[in-house]
Amino acid sequence: MAETKTKSNPGQSHSKTLKGLQSEVQSINRVALSVDCVIFGFDENKLKVLLIRSDLKKYQNKFSLLGDLVKPEEDLEDSAYRILKQRTGMDDLYLEQVHTFGEVGRHPAGRVVSVAYCSLINVQHHRLKTIDNDLHWHDVDSIKELLFDHKKIFDACYKWLQKRVQEHPLGFSLLPNKFSLRELQNLYEAILNKKLDRRNFRKKFFSMNFLVDMGEEEQNVPHRPGRLYKFDYEKYEKNKKTWSGIDF
Amino acid sequence: MAETKTKSNPGQSHSKTLKGLQSEVQSINRVALSVDCVIFGFDENKLKVLLIRSDLKKYQNKFSLLGDLVKPEEDLEDSAYRILKQRTGMDDLYLEQVHTFGEVGRHPAGRVVSVAYCSLINVQHHRLKTIDNDLHWHDVDSIKELLFDHKKIFDACYKWLQKRVQEHPLGFSLLPNKFSLRELQNLYEAILNKKLDRRNFRKKFFSMNFLVDMGEEEQNVPHRPGRLYKFDYEKYEKNKKTWSGIDF
DNA sequence: ATATTATTGTGTAAAATAAACACATTATTT
DNA sequence: AAATAATGTGTTTATTTTACACAATAATAT
């Protein structure tokens, strides 16, 4: 919040005290604030989203994003990290704020404004410590309806991801540390929902100079194994100025 | 907000009632929510931002963004439009949400989470109905310090604008309805803070097929006058698929 | 009137990037 | 040993971006 002034008193400023503002902030005009996380994963060559069956009896056959109220003494972003930790058992996940949804009627329990965050996780890691029986991965293209306005929130985050992944190297958060170029391409094809040219795809990523050849090969594939690479963040930072895209 | 479940009770769901959630939403965990608007203008070939001298006695020598608390019965976006209307007297301004700032200590009056909006206005129109003596246009490159964390909010919105203007035709909101290509280029140079090649600039905009030649020329310029154009939103919608950029 | 000034309006060539496309190689399976 | 299925690699073409110069025009100064 910034400066408020009564419309009837234009041109007269310095009329408010901090104390007056404090009481305004502490008593009236408050709303419930929540965070909803759209957590993407990548498994079996499909883009997935982590959902939970609604806690609420009335809505128990609907799926929902993972969210919670922001606590009064908690930074907004910390709130999102807390939800991720509670739900996945994982720390240090990729997390970015996408949009805030604040229509009056969006939540049946009253005025709840929700800040949407997008998170990307490595499904393999998550599998080992799945915490909650009601949490499930859903194919993104199977999402037809969600609780409240969560479909709208999901759509916004999915579009955001499709755009963002073409400008920033965030897809690696969805893959194991070591991956083949085929896996990387499958990921991009799943996110963008279109086929890409294999040779041009390889050329493009190699030219960006942030993939490190691990000198290893895929195991247990029923065909010639591909080389394994890892994403090197330092090399990314060093080279990103020289690329063509805005700031991939 | 979405689904909350006590950490101590994993795997057990459908445990909450809507009523229970309602009381949670209505009593505890509430915060003050505000909207802060970064209002850009373009005048004398410079990008400007509309600021107000702080209302608060304690901070009366600091400048501030234009904001207010969100009312309990007001859509978030409507809150932003209300602020714009109050401060500029103008309706139907370009407005887009940019980011939400929710650190615990960001506001001295208590916990205030703020949603930042970016707005673009035609300064010529605004001049005619300036409402408030404490409102002033500031060159964006003169902004060194603002109230609270408003500099951070401003920076985020300015970066957002620089990126957004290269993907969407929103710069026209900053210009008069009729403008010369030189004015348009000056605008882009001011926003991006760099020189552009005049011939390539013209070629690019003409190729996008949304500028309509008004058959008029500039008046009162001390040199050969340029032709005047207007931005045609319908033509933009019709042709935007055919361009090179992501979705300029 | 004339010259001067400042800016408009226009096209092409070179460079960089993106797109299209085929075949030999290598593990695995049969 | 043959069949399978995917890897690894380069070139050609099309498209996009960049760099760059000069004649035309209206206003101003002389």
Side-chain angles (χ1 to χ4, degrees):
Chain A
M1 180 180 60
E3 300 305 313
T4 316
K5 199 183 302 176
T6 56
K7 217 179 163 181
S8 58
N9 193 17
Q12 300 265 99
S13 76
H14 320 314
S15 52
K16 271 195 177 177
T17 61
L18 187 55
K19 210 161 198 172
L21 187 54
Q22 270 165 353
S23 72
E24 210 178 330
V25 162
Q26 280 160 26
S27 57
I28 55 171
N29 280 343
R30 294 186 143 205
V31 302
L33 186 67
S34 72
V35 161
D36 283 305
C37 295
V38 178
I39 305 175
F40 288 103
F42 181 63
D43 197 23
E44 295 170 319
N45 290 338
K46 284 182 179 163
L47 188 65
K48 310 273 185 173
V49 61
L50 193 59
L51 300 176
I52 190 167
R53 195 174 282 278
S54 176
D55 259 2
L56 302 167
K57 286 191 183 117
K58 189 172 172 189
Y59 302 101
Q60 66 185 251
N61 50 353
K62 291 220 178 154
F63 287 98
S64 157
L65 297 174
L66 301 171
D68 196 5
L69 290 174
V70 175
K71 297 188 188 302
E73 298 293 331
E74 179 184 51
D75 284 354
L76 186 56
E77 195 172 81
D78 288 345
S79 183
Y81 279 118
R82 171 172 57 81
I83 291 163
L84 292 177
K85 175 70 174 180
Q86 281 178 358
R87 296 308 192 171
T88 68
M90 296 165 75
D91 288 309
D92 301 317
L93 296 178
Y94 178 93
L95 179 70
E96 232 173 307
Q97 191 193 113
V98 173
H99 194 81
T100 297
F101 295 81
E103 284 177 50
V104 169
R106 61 171 293 280
H107 199 293
R111 183 71 194 275
V112 183
V113 173
S114 184
V115 184
Y117 280 83
C118 178
S119 181
L120 306 178
I121 91 170
N122 178 332
V123 171
Q124 274 72 36
H125 290 173
H126 178 248
R127 270 221 196 83
L128 305 174
K129 26 187 155 179
T130 300
I131 284 175
D132 192 318
N133 294 332
D134 279 329
L135 279 180
H136 294 289
W137 290 104
H138 297 249
D139 287 5
V140 293
D141 49 16
S142 75
I143 311 298
K144 307 296 182 210
E145 192 187 12
L146 295 173
L147 190 70
F148 309 155
D149 62 350
H150 288 196
K151 177 63 159 63
K152 191 170 154 190
I153 297 175
F154 165 76
D155 287 343
C157 287
Y158 187 19
K159 282 185 82 165
W160 177 90
L161 174 63
Q162 290 185 316
K163 184 170 179 189
R164 186 80 172 159
V165 79
Q166 300 191 64
E167 299 170 347
H168 268 267
L170 44 96
F172 304 101
S173 301
L174 290 162
L175 292 177
N177 288 341
K178 300 175 189 177
F179 50 84
S180 68
L181 275 192
R182 164 53 60 187
E183 289 174 296
L184 186 62
Q185 184 174 341
N186 284 343
L187 172 66
Y188 272 76
E189 290 182 343
I191 293 174
L192 300 175
N193 196 29
K194 68 177 178 189
K195 288 275 163 212
L196 302 172
D197 181 276
R198 192 164 60 93
R199 275 175 287 188
N200 292 335
F201 183 85
R202 298 170 70 90
K203 209 187 321 179
K204 181 167 187 174
F205 273 85
F206 286 140
S207 77
M208 293 192 282
N209 279 322
F210 54 53
L211 293 183
V212 177
D213 188 336
M214 301 300 282
E216 299 173 51
E217 291 184 334
E218 291 178 292
Q219 301 293 325
N220 305 319
V221 286
H223 55 76
R224 175 176 177 181
R227 277 208 277 271
L228 295 178
Y229 296 85
K230 70 169 185 183
F231 169 65
D232 186 327
Y233 188 76
E234 308 248 325
K235 294 186 96 173
Y236 159 68
E237 282 293 338
K238 203 187 297 180
N239 292 308
K240 68 179 175 182
K241 294 283 177 192
T242 68
W243 303 330
S244 49
I246 294 179
D247 62 346
F248 186 99
Chain B
M1 180 181 57
E3 300 305 312
T4 316
K5 198 182 304 177
T6 55
K7 220 182 167 182
S8 57
N9 192 18
Q12 302 265 97
S13 78
H14 317 317
S15 53
K16 273 195 174 176
T17 60
L18 187 56
K19 211 160 200 172
L21 186 56
Q22 267 165 356
S23 71
E24 210 178 329
V25 161
Q26 279 161 27
S27 56
I28 55 172
N29 281 341
R30 292 186 145 204
V31 301
L33 187 68
S34 73
V35 160
D36 283 305
C37 295
V38 178
I39 305 175
F40 289 101
F42 180 62
D43 197 23
E44 294 170 321
N45 289 341
K46 283 183 181 163
L47 188 65
K48 310 272 185 174
V49 61
L50 193 60
L51 300 175
I52 189 168
R53 196 174 281 277
S54 177
D55 258 1
L56 302 167
K57 284 188 184 123
K58 190 173 171 188
Y59 302 100
Q60 66 186 252
N61 50 353
K62 291 220 177 153
F63 287 98
S64 157
L65 298 174
L66 301 171
D68 196 4
L69 289 174
V70 175
K71 298 189 188 300
E73 298 292 332
E74 178 182 53
D75 285 353
L76 186 55
E77 193 173 84
D78 288 345
S79 183
Y81 279 118
R82 172 172 56 80
I83 291 163
L84 291 177
K85 175 70 175 180
Q86 281 178 357
R87 296 308 192 171
T88 68
M90 295 165 75
D91 288 309
D92 301 318
L93 295 179
Y94 178 92
L95 179 70
E96 232 174 305
Q97 191 193 111
V98 173
H99 194 80
T100 296
F101 295 81
E103 283 177 50
V104 169
R106 61 172 292 280
H107 199 293
R111 183 72 195 273
V112 183
V113 173
S114 183
V115 185
Y117 280 83
C118 178
S119 181
L120 307 178
I121 92 170
N122 178 333
V123 170
Q124 274 71 35
H125 290 172
H126 178 248
R127 270 223 195 81
L128 305 174
K129 25 187 152 177
T130 299
I131 284 174
D132 192 319
N133 293 333
D134 279 328
L135 279 179
H136 294 289
W137 290 104
H138 297 249
D139 287 5
V140 293
D141 49 15
S142 74
I143 310 299
K144 307 297 182 207
E145 193 188 9
L146 295 174
L147 190 69
F148 310 155
D149 62 348
H150 286 196
K151 178 62 159 62
K152 191 171 154 191
I153 297 175
F154 166 76
D155 287 344
C157 287
Y158 188 19
K159 283 185 79 164
W160 177 90
L161 175 62
Q162 289 185 317
K163 184 170 180 189
R164 186 79 172 159
V165 79
Q166 300 192 65
E167 300 170 346
H168 270 266
L170 45 96
F172 302 101
S173 300
L174 291 161
L175 292 176
N177 288 341
K178 300 176 191 177
F179 49 85
S180 68
L181 274 194
R182 163 54 58 188
E183 289 173 294
L184 185 61
Q185 184 173 343
N186 285 342
L187 172 65
Y188 273 75
E189 290 181 342
I191 293 174
L192 301 175
N193 197 30
K194 68 176 179 191
K195 288 273 164 214
L196 301 172
D197 180 277
R198 191 165 61 94
R199 272 175 291 186
N200 292 335
F201 182 86
R202 298 170 72 91
K203 207 188 321 177
K204 181 166 187 174
F205 274 85
F206 286 142
S207 77
M208 293 190 285
N209 279 321
F210 55 51
L211 293 183
V212 177
D213 188 335
M214 302 298 285
E216 299 175 50
E217 291 184 337
E218 290 178 293
Q219 302 293 325
N220 306 318
V221 285
H223 53 77
R224 176 177 175 181
R227 277 208 279 272
L228 295 177
Y229 297 85
K230 70 169 182 183
F231 169 67
D232 185 327
Y233 188 77
E234 309 246 326
K235 294 185 97 173
Y236 160 69
E237 283 293 336
K238 203 186 298 183
N239 293 307
K240 66 178 175 181
K241 295 283 177 194
T242 69
W243 303 329
S244 52
I246 295 178
D247 62 347
F248 187 100

